[in-house]
Amino acid sequence: MRLILLGAPGSGKGSQAGPLTSHFGILQISTGDMLREARAKGTEMGRLAATYMDAGQLVPDEVVIGIVEERLKNPDCEKGFILDGFPRTLVQAAALDEALGRLGITIDRVVEIRVGDEVILPRITGRRSCPQCKKPYHIQFGPPKRDLLCDTCDVPLVHRDDDTETAVVKRLEAYHKMTAPLVDYYEKQGKLLVVDGTGKVSEVTERIFKVLS
Ligand code: ADP
Ligand code: ZN
């Protein structure tokens, strides 16, 4: 199974990737996580990416396409994968189709998690995540069992540098302008499935399994 999760920032892509990867036994490829890792390591690419990320802007296509192409060559992708946060532009989508074509594979399904802009800001400003296992939490809607510690890793949760109100507003703008056209792109390929992204994480998970079955 090769899936793309499409949706605005805060639509729940990262939260849904977990249950989907365990169910299908495939891995999650999150460009946001890969960029944050590069940034934490202080590589040149990471430092460049950070300036865009904190401003709520998209990292240039060639940078992101490069890391995804590298990642897809890894043998652990053979069983399948979920792309989370990629592609985010039409240029990236075309590059992905090309790269997969070279590997002789295609995307099976694209799941768009649809939410209105009004639910996004509170979701993102309250969002926290585990720096080790990357599991997402929310201070109100999905808090950890113990005060701001990851349930599994027992380490303090962190707040992303780009989860500020100003950056989120910019990210939403970028989403509508650059990423929303992908809905049409995958609709035309006959791969698009749309689910309502409002409500509890588990409710959205059920909806996704239903459209995929
Ligand atoms: P969110 O979905 O909440 O915006 P992500 O972790 O997916 O969070 O992405 C965080 C930031 O990383 C984005 O705002 C952007 O700057 C950068 N980024 C991630 N994926 C891409 C991509 N495919 N193309 C360009 N920039 C990206
Ligand atoms: Zn953890």
Side-chain angles (χ1 to χ4, degrees), residues 6-9 52 56-62 64-65 85-94 169-186:
L6 201 60
Y52 291 94
Q57 290 169 349
L58 294 183
V59 174
D61 284 335
E62 58 276 17
V64 189
I65 290 169
F86 183 93
R88 253 181 164 94
T89 65
L90 286 169
V91 171
Q92 293 179 15
V169 170
K170 287 270 174 246
R171 272 149 70 200
L172 267 177
E173 273 173 31
Y175 180 78
H176 289 299
K177 197 164 151 220
M178 308 298 291
T179 313
L182 295 183
V183 171
D184 248 18
Y185 181 88
Y186 289 115

Side-chain angles (χ1 to χ4, degrees), residues 34-176:
M34 291 194 284
L35 292 169
R36 279 185 287 278
E37 254 160 54
R39 171 183 192 160
K41 281 189 195 138
T43 65
E44 197 182 320
M45 191 267 281
R47 283 202 302 271
L48 170 80
T51 59
Y52 291 94
M53 294 168 85
D54 290 352
Q57 290 169 349
L58 294 183
V59 174
D61 284 335
E62 58 276 17
V63 175
V64 189
I65 290 169
I67 41 180
V68 173
E69 284 187 346
E70 266 318 296
R71 186 68 190 82
L72 289 174
K73 283 186 205 149
N74 200 301
D76 64 357
C77 291
E78 274 164 20
K79 280 196 230 148
F81 49 80
I82 296 180
L83 288 170
D84 157 15
F86 183 93
R88 253 181 164 94
T89 65
L90 286 169
V91 171
Q92 293 179 15
L96 175 66
D97 281 345
E98 238 184 81
L100 293 178
R102 282 195 295 271
L103 298 168
I105 53 181
T106 53
I107 292 294
D108 299 306
R109 289 273 181 253
V110 178
V111 178
E112 186 205 353
I113 307 179
R114 203 169 275 184
V115 291
D117 282 5
E118 68 287 351
V119 308
I120 289 173
L121 197 63
R123 278 194 186 180
I124 292 191
T125 46
R127 171 157 82 174
R128 300 291 183 275
S129 63
C130 171
Q132 259 170 47
C133 71
K134 314 285 184 236
K135 183 173 186 256
Y137 293 87
H138 191 284
I139 49 176
Q140 268 170 292
F141 314 138
K145 296 204 181 79
R146 277 156 315 121
D147 217 23
L148 294 181
L149 293 177
C150 176
D151 293 343
T152 333
C153 314
D154 213 29
V155 298
L157 302 180
V158 294
H159 190 208
R160 277 165 46 175
D161 292 329
D162 62 342
D163 276 354
T164 62
E165 191 163 337
T166 359
V168 173
V169 170
K170 287 270 174 246
R171 272 149 70 200
L172 267 177
E173 273 173 31
Y175 180 78
H176 289 299

Side-chain angles (χ1 to χ4, degrees), residues 13-14 17-18 21 26-30 33 71 80-84:
K13 300 183 298 292
T21 50
I26 55 183
L27 54 95
Q28 173 188 7
I29 300 179
S30 157
D33 284 347
R71 186 68 190 82
F81 49 80
I82 296 180
L83 288 170
D84 157 15

